[in-house]
Every structure is written in structure tokens, then in C-alpha cells.
Amino acid sequence: MWTGNTGKGDISGWLGRPAGRVAWVVLAAVLGALAAHTARVTSDGGMDNAIVVRAARSWLAGGDPYDDPHFLYFPSAVLAAVPQALLPQAVLRVVVPVVVAGLLAAGWGCALRLHGVARGSRLGVLGLTGLAACFAPFGHLVRLGNWTVTAAVALPLCLLLAYRGRWIAAGVVVGVAVALKPLLAPVVLLFVLAGRWRALAAAVLVPALASGAAALLLPDPAGFFTRTLPFLLRGDDGFVRLYEASPAAVLPRLGVPVPLAEGLALLAAGAGVLCARLRWRRADPGPLRYAETAAGLMLSAFLVSRPSYDHYLLVVVPLLLAGLPDPDSVARRPGCWVALVPQLPGVTWPWLEAAERRAFKDAFTLGVLAVTVAAGAVGRRGRRAPGGSGDRSRTLEVDSGSG
């Protein structure tokens, strides 16, 4: 439970108190309405989930999952989707949105525990309600059924384990998430920064072994490398490009030459990684070091990755917002909230009304959030708890714990 500043002049005290029954009812109503609406308007649990399920069904029928250019996952994801492929469509349309909403709630819960905030607190209940009702990517992810949700729950769980000294378990969690969808691959840099080589080995070996074994069962074992990887590197899918939020995709739509846009995105990503390194090296006690370093690494990757969608933000935003009670958190910086303004549902922005233009709003959110996290890493001195070397020793003890 949060034990930081709870003075009457700080909102932290109010946020840390238990949520009332009405708040729980409202949360259940919002999540239930979102899942029920998705079940009504989709036939298979979501367009993106359907891509993976079709790949599994194709494999079960003797086909090649990589015949679909939009299947962008490792071979291990094919086998992971087989249970869904065996379920009727009527079941999928109900189960998938419920599971996605539940996993997003679980990820929020892990983020809260990382920051020492009770899940039943006002921040826990009202924060999840706000994400579901006021953060557009939350609803998009539930409706799409995208497997990004696995990363949204795996990252805070990984950081919670690492913060408690269980680094190998953290590496396994990242490895499993990457085996399902390679979105969390940049987090392996956290293990490098921390010098946790066994955790790094776990994060790499789990997806490598799982995908290698699964590839042997596919008609084209090298399909991911010969077809999917070139597709990702080219990024020349006209339909996908309209929804990408990375500067490399958005700037050319504003007239910037493609090589220049890609170069700027790469420089921004490199700067973000350097800032994340500085954040980690500051070595101040507490969970902010873990959350903000990981957020910096992921945002840097989103700046340069192709594709990069709005729902990727759910891997980072809840992790940052859960740290709101801490006066030094990024969530206390105005830039964090300015970045979220374009994601308010129902607000119509001139010239951005079309769905194909929402990428400009997403790029704004991604860019401002990345700059805010980077600025927090560079422009703020590390906190030192009272007691000098004794507290520093305890911090190092946590960092060097078993696992």
C-alpha cells in the first residue's frame, strides 16, 4: 500500500483511500458495457484477434499461416491460437472481449502493486474506470481483440517481479509475452542495463525455443523470416500505413521525404534509449526507476517501429499513471496529461475526423509522452531517501537480489 506523501494538501492521500461501493459498480458497468458492445458488433471477437485465429485454422487445415501478410507473429503464436480456432464463432465473440478487458484490468493491477498502491483504492478503481471510459485506445484494443493485451499485462508483471528481486522470473514473463507477440522485445535492454544476464537469457531463449519448435510443425518453417520480416522492414502496406503512429509513417503524409522521416525517427528512438539508460543509472530507490526506464525503452521503440498503433500506448500509459501518488512521477508532469488529450473519446478534432487520420493524434500522443518521459530522466535529480548510505545500501540490495 502506498505510504508516501498523504498530506491534506496532496491528492495522494485521497487516492490511496479505499474505493466505495458505487465506484466498483461504475467500473463493472463501464467494463461490462465495453465488452457487451464488442460482442454485439463483432462476429469473431475482434478483427485483429481474427487474424491470428485464421492463421491457426489455416495450419490445422494443412495451410501456411504466413500466406496472410497481416499475420505478423512468431510461429509460437500459431499454436497458442489453436484453442481459439477450435471454438465456435458465437463463443469467441463473447469470450474474447471479456478476456481482453480482464487482462487489461490485470495489467493495471500489477502496475498498481509495483507502485505500492492497493488495487481497491480510489486510484485503483477510478483509474481503471477512467482508462476504460476516457482513453480511446482502451476501447479500440477491446474491440480489435489485439494480442497487444499480452504485453500490457506482461510488462508491469515483469517489472513487479524485477523490483522484488525475481529477475529470472521477470525474464520468463517477457519471453512468454514475446513468444505470443514480439512487442516487448525492447524490454530486454532493461536486463542489459541491470546486468541481469540470466534474466536476459530467459527472455531470449523462451521465445526462441517456443518459436523454433512451432516452426518445425509449419509447412514453411522459415516463413517469418522470408515473408513477415521483409514486410515489416518495408512497411509498404498502403492500408496499414494509414493507421501507423510512428514519425516514420506520419511525417511522409505531411510532405516530409521518407528517408528524412525515417532518419528523424531513428534519431529520436536513439535519444530515447540514451535517456532511459540515464534514468536507470540514476539508481534512486523505489519503483519509479523500473517503470520509467521501461516506459522510455518502449516509447523509443514505438517511435521507430513499423507498424506502431494507438493501442500500443496501453503498454506504457497505465504503468506511468499508476505512479501518480508519487510526487516525482512522470504522471505529475503536465506533459503527460497534455499527451493524453487527443485520446479523449467523443472529441472531434478539425480535419482529423476520418478514422484514417487518427494516426496524427496518436503520433502527437506518442511524441509528447516520449519527450515527457525523456525529460524526466534527464532533468531531474535522483531522489535519495533520508539516511544516506544505509538507504542506498538497501536499494542496491534489492537490485542485487536473487533471481
Side-chain angles (χ1 to χ4, degrees):
M1 186 126 181
W2 172 253
T3 57
N5 186 351
T6 57
K8 292 183 179 180
D10 194 290
I11 195 174
S12 303
W14 187 87
L15 290 174
R17 297 191 186 102
R21 186 178 303 175
V22 173
W24 282 103
V25 171
V26 171
L27 173 60
V30 170
L31 293 179
L34 188 56
H37 172 73
T38 301
R40 287 188 60 208
V41 301
T42 63
S43 60
D44 48 15
M47 179 180 70
D48 290 355
N49 181 69
I51 292 174
V52 192
V53 174
R54 280 200 307 269
R57 287 175 176 157
S58 174
W59 175 71
L60 290 173
D64 189 346
Y66 292 103
D67 285 341
D68 182 355
H70 292 140
F71 178 67
L72 307 177
Y73 300 76
F74 287 145
S76 49
V78 177
L79 299 188
V82 167
Q84 286 194 67
L86 300 177
L87 292 176
Q89 296 285 80
V91 174
L92 283 179
R93 68 186 300 176
V94 175
V95 170
V96 171
V98 171
V99 170
V100 172
L103 288 176
L104 287 173
W108 173 246
C110 290
L112 291 170
R113 295 311 302 143
L114 171 65
H115 291 284
V117 180
R119 287 183 286 266
S121 64
R122 286 171 173 164
L123 176 60
V125 177
L126 298 179
L128 183 56
T129 304
L131 283 170
C134 304
F135 188 55
F138 192 105
H140 296 165
L141 184 55
V142 175
R143 285 192 289 275
L144 292 171
N146 193 283
W147 284 30
T148 293
V149 70
T150 58
V153 68
L155 181 57
L157 176 58
C158 158
L159 297 177
L160 178 60
L161 291 169
Y163 182 59
R164 293 178 175 178
R166 301 174 60 186
W167 283 91
I168 291 180
V172 171
V173 168
V174 171
V176 171
V178 171
L180 295 175
K181 181 170 182 174
L183 190 62
L184 282 191
V187 176
V188 300
L189 291 176
L190 177 64
F191 302 132
V192 175
L193 294 175
R196 299 291 176 166
W197 309 116
R198 288 186 293 174
L200 175 63
V204 173
L205 287 176
V206 168
L209 294 176
S211 293
L216 296 177
L217 303 176
L218 302 182
D220 180 9
F224 178 83
F225 297 99
T226 59
R227 285 185 278 180
T228 299
L229 196 56
F231 175 85
L232 289 172
L233 294 175
R234 289 194 308 267
D236 57 1
D237 187 298
F239 173 77
V240 169
R241 191 184 305 118
L242 294 175
Y243 300 93
E244 291 188 55
S246 69
V250 171
L251 290 178
R253 297 177 65 181
L254 298 175
V256 177
V258 172
L260 178 58
E262 292 177 346
L264 291 173
L266 188 60
L267 287 174
V273 171
L274 289 177
C275 290
R277 180 175 179 270
L278 290 174
R279 181 64 184 91
W280 180 260
R281 287 171 61 86
R282 205 164 66 218
D284 50 307
L288 287 182
R289 179 192 186 197
Y290 293 76
E292 294 177 3
T293 300
L297 292 173
M298 292 305 303
L299 289 168
S300 299
F302 297 158
L303 286 172
V304 75
S305 66
R306 306 289 303 273
S308 183
Y309 300 125
D310 69 322
H311 51 78
Y312 288 6
L313 294 168
L314 280 164
V315 178
V316 173
V317 170
L319 187 63
L320 296 176
L321 295 185
L324 185 62
D326 193 313
D328 289 334
S329 69
V330 168
R332 293 288 187 103
R333 290 175 168 259
C336 179
W337 299 96
V338 170
L340 302 182
V341 169
Q343 304 302 330
L344 291 171
V347 178
T348 302
W349 300 91
W351 300 287
L352 301 178
E353 298 91 345
E356 294 81 4
R357 291 188 175 183
R358 74 156 292 115
F360 294 105
K361 297 188 291 183
D362 302 333
F364 176 87
T365 298
L366 173 59
V368 174
L369 198 58
V371 169
T372 302
V373 172
V378 174
R380 186 179 68 218
R381 286 188 175 184
R383 289 183 301 151
R384 290 292 181 266
S389 60
D391 294 281
R392 172 68 172 168
S393 299
R394 285 197 294 274
T395 303
L396 294 176
E397 184 179 351
V398 170
D399 288 343
S400 59
S402 62

